[in-house]
């Protein structure tokens, strides 16, 4: 920690002399400390996946870092997970309201902008800290796959494939090298598995991988079964034999 | 205490340069300073147990760290107990409201999420400190045993067996080694007694052990009598002869 | 004062790195600085007593540290007495409301919980300091003697006999050694006198002892007359000849 | 000023590690810096008196530190006098309300408690400083003389005779030695004069003495005339020839 | 500035260890830095006067430091003049309200108390600083001359003659030596001129003197013309030939 | 910056030990850092002028530092111009309200007092900083020319001619030497041009001079055309050949 | 960072001794750290352009730093982009309201003033930080091209051509040298491309250039296609062969 930073990071979010918002940067650091999360768009639908490290007696029926927002939209989170839940609840309510008002499924971008707008406000107003979480929102609306990233700064951006959390720089490099627009949803799921192996300390088992798909055909969020994940993971290890770090 | 922490822990909950929320971590430290609490799921119901160290003239009819939320749900707490009471009151009110609105017994997860959501808010908004307590919520709904942990960060997770408070790392190791899904409620109660002996300074008597059961058969919260605890404890000492620390 | 504490005790109640709430601990220190107060349960009713050190021209008709809450409930306080008055007013109002709503005398535990809940809130929310007082609440409801302690942390616990304030550790030891469940109210009053002599600098006179009884027979709060106190005190000095400190 | 106090006295009223409320203690110091005020109960009524040091061209018709609350109640103040006025206004309004609601003259204790309750609140809640004044309230209700002291801590206590402000320790000693319950109101007025001479720098003239009486016979607040004060003072100097400090 | 004062004067008005309210004392220092203002009572009415140092092109039709409150009341101010305007507006509104409610001219003391009460509040509550101005209020009501001083502490006192602002100690000495109750309003006006010469750097001209009179005969506030001031000033220089400082 | 000032200028506007309001003085320093603005009263109307330094591609149709308030009133500003806009909007609304209520053109003094009152409040209440701008308000009402200055302290004063902003001391000296009451509006406009040349770094061109007139004849605010300014400037350079600094 | 600045930049926006608002200056520094944005007025309409540096898998259909406000108005932003979105949403709502109230297209200046007024308020009131973004607003209303800049201070100014963000000083110099009023919209688009090349690290490709036009003929905001940008860029590189830095 440099002495020049002293004071700028203690109080409510304020600008430093070099024009930075330290509290926002620290919140992004919280995201970087979280386990990896990835989202990949395929021509057949969206895949989102996260690494979860359950304790031995933890019941893993329910994913901690993957959430369903609506029939057709899911979220993968990295960072401070209780904050993710707060944003997910907000998104679910917003999505239902939208459906009731407009009588059609909400666009993923509409939700991403809604969450990002709230995140921006939490960087500008006193009495609240910024969110400490980044979200990958994926969904299919009217045959159209959509993948968005939101972060603590209030930014939201659309990607073909994106990784957040610990090791995301390395994983993003990997995705940029291997991604192409002709991926089937199976290919994308294998790629997502490979991405998690790349960042994780556990490069053998699959109990630490959680995955969900929203297929273009069904436009429906589905958690991928442990058996299916195991198959994807096996293929991933063959196809992308990462060297050990 | 490291100098680098100075300032991040004084004011309202804010991020440190390494992306941590110190006030939340300190609140979790408050939990770690509390006496041990355990929750164990068995095929016949839930067992929760705590260590209480009453003063000599204290009247111990009423458990200080075990609370009933509803007919079918109980809580074991570790940390700052007045905060536990605040959350328990909240849970009781929420549970009754739920019953009146939906005319059916509330799920344990619904309450766990409700309490965790409030805990998350107390880490994000100014004018309030985070809760200094972790709760083990156990219950049986529609023949279904449920065991949840909430903590000051706003996290809630389901477990087969879990320990919180002083010595919980060691106790968790013990539970992970000994737990299996075929435990009867008697087995689970013996295991809970053994868990408390493992953490406690008092490894002989039973006056410091408080226990409650919610049996699948009755779906009803019941405090275990001192006599019954003594029997469980006797078996525990025979079956799990922990070595002295 | 240790340097490591600097900062944690200045602002609103926050957690220290070791998980402590210093403002609450300092408030409890305020209680420890107060003169001794004791409460003792007997089979014939409750006795509460305090030490008061009036100035010479002070009118001592009205006790400063013993309060009546309702017909059947009294309080003995140690610590910052104006705070005690604030809590007593709250308890009186709560007790009357309770009587009007339920048409029966309020339980002592109900009041103890109500006061403790407020105390807990004053440790969690900004804009207010914790209460600097501990209270011994004693009463008889439906032939049932009840004795409770509340403190600045928001804890409330039931006791057979309890002491708070200056020298309370020593007095509690004494009570634990001498207390038994077969005490008559006379015995308990003598014991209370002895307890105050143990802590007080004045070990001869009785002008510094204030006492109240709530007898099981009458279920009515009564201040004990100075003459009666003198008799209890005389017996106390014979029966429990504390050595001079 | 000791370094250990740094920080505890700056912000809103908070506890110090040794359980003290510095802001309250400093407010009491403000009282000690004020000129002397005394109140004395006699069998014929109440006497209150203050020292006032008017500037030469000040118009002294109106006492600055003696106030009438109601027909039968008066106040003598020491400390920060604008705060006294605020409390006096409060007391006047409270007294009139009381009369309208209950159709009888308010008790002095009722007012003393009301003012002390407000003072206590000003030590506990943020956004306001404690009062910097102590008040001696004296009155006669239903043939009953009443004399009360309130201070910045929120304490109120009844006395036969009491002094506050600069030199009050010495004056209190003097009152304790000379006071008896058979004083006539003339005796009490002489004693009050003597008390002020004891504390004042001016031990000859009487222009710095203000006095009021509430006689049992009339139950009416009356300012004592300068001529009458001169007589009391003359007698005081003969009867209580304090040695020069 | 002494180091011991550090901290007590920064935040909201709080007590220092020696019982002082520094913010109030600093506000009074603001008054002392203002130019001189005087008020003198005569048997024929009130005179108030101030020193104003206009810049060369300033239009001096309107006095900056003398204000009319009502037909029969005027104010002379020293200190932070924008604050004076705020209090004067308050007084004007209060005076009109009073007239409408009671259908008679308001007493000067009533206004003085009203302004002082507000000043006291501004020393006790957070979110506002004390007023930085002292006011001399003079008026004639029912043939009765009244002269009052209010200051930032919330004190108000009646005087025969009073000076505030720069050099007011010296001027007050002068007034105390020269004042008598038989002054005509002409005499008082001459005395006021002399008082301003005593404090001012400009001891020759009269363009820096502003004066108003409220005569007993008319009970009406009137600004004194420059010609008339010149006559008073000429007499003043002959009658009170202050030596040069 | 002197060390003794540390602390007084950080928080909300508070008094320093020498009775100064540093935040107000710093706001006035902001005014001094602004480019020059002047206002001059002539027998034929008011002239206000400012220096503006547009960037090369800036569109200069709209003056940045001269504003119209109403048909008959204009403003010239120096200091933090966004604050000027806030006050101008306030003045426009106030002026229209006034017209609607009283059905006549508002006096300039009425607006000046209104703005100054708001400025005073912004020096006294928490949660807002003082305005960082001074305003010269000029107008003609009922054949009567009026010129007022308001500043961050909440002061408002009437002048025949006044300058604010960078170099205003020197310009004020110049105005005091050259001003007379017989100036025609042409003379005043030439004088205003000369005043700006005196303070400006650009002593040749006229693109940096903005000017407005409110003529007595029309009682209407009019911006002066660039051609006309050029003529005034030419005459100014001949009549007042300031030496180069 | 100079030590003298310590303290002025931490808390809510306050003045420094030299009359500066550091928080505003730091917010402007945030703008300077953003990538370049330019706006150019031509006789045939407005061109706005920004540099965006998308990550490899980012979907670039949607510009991040160019926004449409209404049919006829667009915005280019530099600085903290989530803040830009907040202001853009505000502008869109304001623009629609305006249309509904007045039934005509809103002026660009009206929106610029509205946004700047909000920015000014965020520099004056507590509880919010200033905006960290500058906006170039361009539009065509009634055949009239309008180009405005707003910044964090609350300033808004009209320009023929303007650049903000990283390297804007150099780009502004370039625009001042090359701009003329006879530019066609094609010319202006080429100039905008050249401006971005001048500031950008990428001086070859065009994937980092985003551009929009509002033509006078259509009065409609249109994003420029990548193909068209490539053509403009090619011409720009030929016509303005900047030397490598």
């Amino acid at each position: 920690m440099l002495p020049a930073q002293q004071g700028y990071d203690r109080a409510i979010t304020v600008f430093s002399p070099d024009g930075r918002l330290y509290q926002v940067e620290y919140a992004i650091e919280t995201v970087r400390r979280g386990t990896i999360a990835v989202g990949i768009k395929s021509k057949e639908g969206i895949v989102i996946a996260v690494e979860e490290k359950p304790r031995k007696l933890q019941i893993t029926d329910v994913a901690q870092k993957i959430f369903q927002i609506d029939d057709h939209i899911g979220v993968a989170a990295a960072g401070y997970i209780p904050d993710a839940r707060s944003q997910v609840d907000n998104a679910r309510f917003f999505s239902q309201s939208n459906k009731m008002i407009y009588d059609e499924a909400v666009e993923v971008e509409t939700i991403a902008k809604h969450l990002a707008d709230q995140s921006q406000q939490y960087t500008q107003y006193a009495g609240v800290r910024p969110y400490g979480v980044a979200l990958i929102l994926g969904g299919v609306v009217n045959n159209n796959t959509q993948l968005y990233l939101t972060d603590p700064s209030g930014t939201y951006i659309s990607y073909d494939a994106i990784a957040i959390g610990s090791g995301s720089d390395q994983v993003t490099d990997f995705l940029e090298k291997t991604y192409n627009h002709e991926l089937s949803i199976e290919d994308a799921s294998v790629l997502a598995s490979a991405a998690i192996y790349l960042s994780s300390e556990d490069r053998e088992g699959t109990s630490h991988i959680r995955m969900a798909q929203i297929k273009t055909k069904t436009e429906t969020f589905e958690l991928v079964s442990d058996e299916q994940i195991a198959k994807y993971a096996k293929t991933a290890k063959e196809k992308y034999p990462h060297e050990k770090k």
Side-chain angles (χ1 to χ4, degrees), chain A residues 60-77:
Chain A
T60 54
D61 295 357
V62 180
Q64 289 284 321
K65 301 179 181 173
I66 286 189
F67 306 85
Q68 185 172 0
I69 300 292
D70 202 338
D71 289 348
H72 63 300
I73 303 179
V75 160

Side-chain angles (χ1 to χ4, degrees), chain A residues 34-140:
Chain A
T35 52
I36 192 84
V38 295
I40 301 175
K41 202 189 265 190
S42 81
K43 61 181 181 182
E44 292 168 353
I46 299 285
V47 173
I48 53 178
V50 296
E51 181 182 15
E52 290 189 10
K53 299 174 180 162
R55 288 165 74 172
K56 214 177 158 198
L57 293 176
Q58 189 174 331
I59 295 171
T60 54
D61 295 357
V62 180
Q64 289 284 321
K65 301 179 181 173
I66 286 189
F67 306 85
Q68 185 172 0
I69 300 292
D70 202 338
D71 289 348
H72 63 300
I73 303 179
V75 160
Y80 190 67
I81 297 304
D83 282 7
R85 243 176 39 235
S86 165
Q87 292 215 293
V88 161
D89 282 351
N90 185 337
R92 283 171 179 163
F93 183 85
F94 179 79
S95 182
Q96 293 306 314
S97 301
N98 222 281
K99 197 177 286 177
M100 294 210 308
I101 296 170
Y102 303 108
D103 198 23
E104 59 182 19
V106 72
E107 300 280 326
V108 179
E109 184 187 0
T110 309
I111 289 181
K113 179 174 186 310
H114 175 73
L115 296 183
D117 285 351
Q118 189 191 28
S119 295
Q120 184 273 336
Q121 286 172 28
Y122 282 23
T123 74
Q124 188 162 27
Y125 296 97
V128 68
R129 63 163 172 77
Y131 277 114
V133 74
L135 303 178
I136 298 171
L137 294 106
V140 183

Side-chain angles (χ1 to χ4, degrees), chain A residues 173-216:
Chain A
D173 280 352
F174 168 66
L175 290 174
E176 289 177 355
K177 279 182 201 130
T178 54
Y179 182 81
N180 73 72
H181 289 87
E182 295 311 309
L183 293 175
S184 70
I185 200 155
E186 299 293 299
D187 297 338
S189 301
V190 167
L191 193 56
S193 305
I196 287 173
Y197 278 123
L198 186 60
S199 158
S200 177
E201 286 168 12
D202 178 351
R203 301 184 176 209
E204 292 304 324
T206 59
S207 68
H208 62 307
I209 305 179
R210 316 290 309 218
M211 194 181 291
Q213 297 171 342
I214 305 107
K215 292 187 189 143
T216 316

